Amino acid sequence: MALIRSVFQDELDGVSQSLIDLSNMVSTSINKATHALIDLDLKLAEEVISEDEKVDSYQHDLDSHIIDIIARQQPVATDLRALVTALRMSADLERMGDLAHHIAKIARLRHPAAAVPAELKDLVHHMGTVAENLSRKIAVVIDTRDTEMAMQVERDDDEMDKLHRQLLGSITNDTWTHGVESAIDLTLLGRYYERFADHAVSVSRRIYFLVTGTFAS
Amino acid sequence: MALIRSVFQDELDGVSQSLIDLSNMVSTSINKATHALIDLDLKLAEEVISEDEKVDSYQHDLDSHIIDIIARQQPVATDLRALVTALRMSADLERMGDLAHHIAKIARLRHPAAAVPAELKDLVHHMGTVAENLSRKIAVVIDTRDTEMAMQVERDDDEMDKLHRQLLGSITNDTWTHGVESAIDLTLLGRYYERFADHAVSVSRRIYFLVTGTFAS
């Protein structure tokens, strides 16, 4: 019995490690997508676009593996909840990869022109940095189950919301001179970064709930 | 054994019924949100906004119930896959409710002004109708497991994509006179309807896969 439990624990650890790997993959994607966008780097944009399939297939394999563990080990209570939560986190992470992919596609669509006007590059770059920090932090939260860091993720998301409002404020300002197409690009880019952060918060809350049994306030 | 199997089958049927109920709830939400937007009906917008909590709490209870079934019945193979798929479908449906809620919030934000300019009302109304048809159809797909109707959902989503491109085309047209704020509203509205449809397709594909074991081509 002790042996079976130990094998099962190894399997749970393996699932956590795969979620950490996925977090690292999407952290790299959002980093590259932001650089593609800001530095007009078409090669980086193409990389993010082609690597999204790898994220999807990694997530797909992980999900099959989790369901296989549930079927074989028939866990109950806490262990079952951990595995179901892992399925949900992998869905969040896959979606974060999609959002990085959407950002890279806007960079590619406008290349060699810039989707982001010069005076907004710092702001959008800042959003990209906050997004990447969020996905790096959730890898740590998944690994360490550190609830203090989970709370930090919430605060970083507040920062993202602030930057997002600032971006929308710049577009709707009367001094906007970049036309409607650029406004659409920036509206979508803002939305993609904001959703990326939302999914990071979602992962972090799921871990918080697993650890504490309560919702972060 | 036959009795246990039958109780379990009843539980699976109950889960399906709850997913159908959720589909009906989000169908009503997207219908009301579209009318709120097109007819400038603030009361309807408020209804969608306040009812979103009901959708969320219904989904939350359903998820707990599904996990409870897995823990008690310890299903394997097909039955386990059906329950895991139900968890994913409930997440799709909850997100569809959120998107209807976002649409209602734009209607409320701009009230008593219109978020949608007069000449685009028909187009946006059409997107709303396609969205509602999609969520009505997935209720039927969940109920009947009709793969032919699942394929129809894919075709309806093509229609949504066409309408969405048309909307973006109107905004970026040189004759656009409604300013940047309106362009942002319409970009987000278009995105919300499109994502609503994507989640409907996702539900439909999950059922298709459960029934056939293959992906719809």
Side-chain angles (χ1 to χ4, degrees):
Chain A
M1 188 64 191
L3 182 64
I4 291 171
R5 171 69 203 168
S6 163
V7 168
F8 180 52
Q9 198 54 51
D10 284 350
E11 294 204 292
L12 285 185
D13 290 348
V15 168
S16 283
Q17 187 54 53
S18 297
L19 290 168
I20 294 165
D21 292 347
L22 260 182
S23 306
N24 290 334
M25 286 162 90
V26 303
S27 298
T28 302
S29 293
I30 197 75
N31 173 297
K32 285 183 182 175
T34 302
H35 279 291
L37 191 65
I38 300 298
D39 307 330
L40 314 185
D41 189 327
L42 185 61
K43 196 176 145 282
L44 274 184
E46 297 284 8
E47 274 178 37
V48 176
I49 292 163
S50 66
E51 282 164 9
D52 188 45
E53 269 180 41
K54 281 189 211 157
V55 175
D56 289 353
S57 115
Y58 194 96
Q59 188 243 357
H60 189 263
D61 291 348
L62 173 58
D63 280 11
S64 301
H65 181 56
I66 294 170
I67 295 167
D68 180 57
I69 297 174
I70 297 174
R72 280 187 293 102
Q73 302 280 2
Q74 313 221 322
V76 292
T78 313
D79 291 334
L80 176 58
R81 208 165 61 214
L83 286 165
V84 169
T85 301
L87 281 175
R88 290 176 173 147
M89 291 193 286
S90 93
D92 281 314
L93 289 163
E94 189 263 339
R95 188 70 201 140
M96 290 164 78
D98 283 348
L99 291 161
H101 174 239
H102 289 348
I103 291 168
K105 276 175 83 177
I106 291 186
R108 183 174 72 177
L109 178 68
R110 299 305 172 205
H111 190 86
V116 179
E119 74 268 26
L120 289 176
K121 279 197 171 181
D122 280 352
L123 178 58
V124 173
H125 187 243
H126 195 168
M127 291 178 86
T129 308
V130 172
E132 187 188 350
N133 282 342
L134 278 165
S135 48
R136 299 274 173 216
K137 274 185 190 165
I138 59 173
V140 179
V141 172
I142 294 167
D143 191 21
T144 62
R145 314 236 152 174
D146 179 342
T147 54
E148 182 43 48
M149 186 165 275
M151 302 295 281
Q152 269 183 40
V153 167
E154 301 271 343
R155 287 192 292 274
D156 289 354
D157 182 48
D158 292 342
E159 171 78 4
M160 179 65 93
D161 288 342
K162 205 185 82 189
L163 295 169
H164 188 214
R165 277 194 302 274
Q166 212 174 315
L167 179 67
L168 290 179
S170 305
I171 309 171
T172 50
N173 195 297
D174 286 343
T175 59
W176 181 255
T177 56
H178 303 286
V180 167
E181 189 174 84
S182 174
I184 293 176
D185 283 348
L186 287 162
T187 302
L188 291 174
L189 288 169
R191 176 87 189 144
Y192 298 150
Y193 280 114
E194 185 209 21
R195 291 294 300 154
F196 186 97
D198 285 346
H199 283 285
V201 168
S202 163
V203 169
S204 162
R205 284 186 183 163
R206 294 185 201 287
I207 293 281
Y208 189 96
F209 186 76
L210 268 189
V211 174
T212 67
T214 62
F215 295 105
S217 61
Chain B
M1 188 64 190
L3 182 65
I4 291 170
R5 170 69 202 170
S6 165
V7 168
F8 180 53
Q9 198 54 50
D10 285 349
E11 293 203 293
L12 285 185
D13 290 348
V15 168
S16 283
Q17 187 54 53
S18 297
L19 290 168
I20 294 165
D21 293 347
L22 260 181
S23 307
N24 290 333
M25 286 162 90
V26 302
S27 299
T28 302
S29 293
I30 197 76
N31 173 297
K32 285 184 182 175
T34 302
H35 280 291
L37 192 64
I38 300 298
D39 307 329
L40 315 185
D41 189 328
L42 186 61
K43 193 174 146 284
L44 273 185
E46 298 284 7
E47 273 179 38
V48 177
I49 292 163
S50 67
E51 281 163 10
D52 188 45
E53 269 180 42
K54 282 189 212 158
V55 175
D56 290 353
S57 113
Y58 194 95
Q59 188 242 358
H60 189 265
D61 292 347
L62 173 59
D63 280 12
S64 302
H65 181 56
I66 295 169
I67 295 167
D68 180 56
I69 297 174
I70 297 174
R72 280 187 292 103
Q73 301 280 3
Q74 312 221 321
V76 291
T78 313
D79 292 333
L80 175 59
R81 207 165 61 214
L83 287 165
V84 169
T85 301
L87 280 175
R88 290 176 173 147
M89 291 192 286
S90 93
D92 281 314
L93 289 163
E94 189 263 340
R95 187 71 201 139
M96 290 164 78
D98 283 348
L99 292 160
H101 173 240
H102 289 347
I103 291 168
K105 277 174 83 177
I106 291 186
R108 183 174 71 177
L109 178 68
R110 300 302 172 207
H111 190 85
V116 179
E119 76 267 26
L120 289 176
K121 279 198 172 180
D122 280 352
L123 179 58
V124 173
H125 186 244
H126 194 168
M127 291 178 86
T129 308
V130 172
E132 187 188 350
N133 282 341
L134 278 165
S135 47
R136 299 274 174 216
K137 273 185 192 165
I138 58 174
V140 179
V141 172
I142 293 167
D143 191 19
T144 62
R145 314 236 152 174
D146 180 341
T147 53
E148 182 43 48
M149 186 165 273
M151 302 294 282
Q152 270 184 38
V153 167
E154 302 271 342
R155 288 193 291 274
D156 290 355
D157 182 48
D158 292 342
E159 172 77 4
M160 179 65 94
D161 288 343
K162 207 186 81 189
L163 296 169
H164 187 215
R165 278 194 299 276
Q166 214 174 314
L167 179 67
L168 290 179
S170 306
I171 310 170
T172 49
N173 195 296
D174 286 343
T175 59
W176 181 255
T177 56
H178 303 287
V180 167
E181 189 174 83
S182 174
I184 293 175
D185 283 348
L186 287 162
T187 302
L188 291 174
L189 288 168
R191 176 88 191 145
Y192 299 151
Y193 280 115
E194 185 209 22
R195 290 296 301 155
F196 186 98
D198 285 347
H199 283 285
V201 168
S202 163
V203 169
S204 162
R205 283 187 184 162
R206 294 185 201 286
I207 293 282
Y208 189 96
F209 186 77
L210 268 188
V211 175
T212 67
T214 62
F215 296 104
S217 60

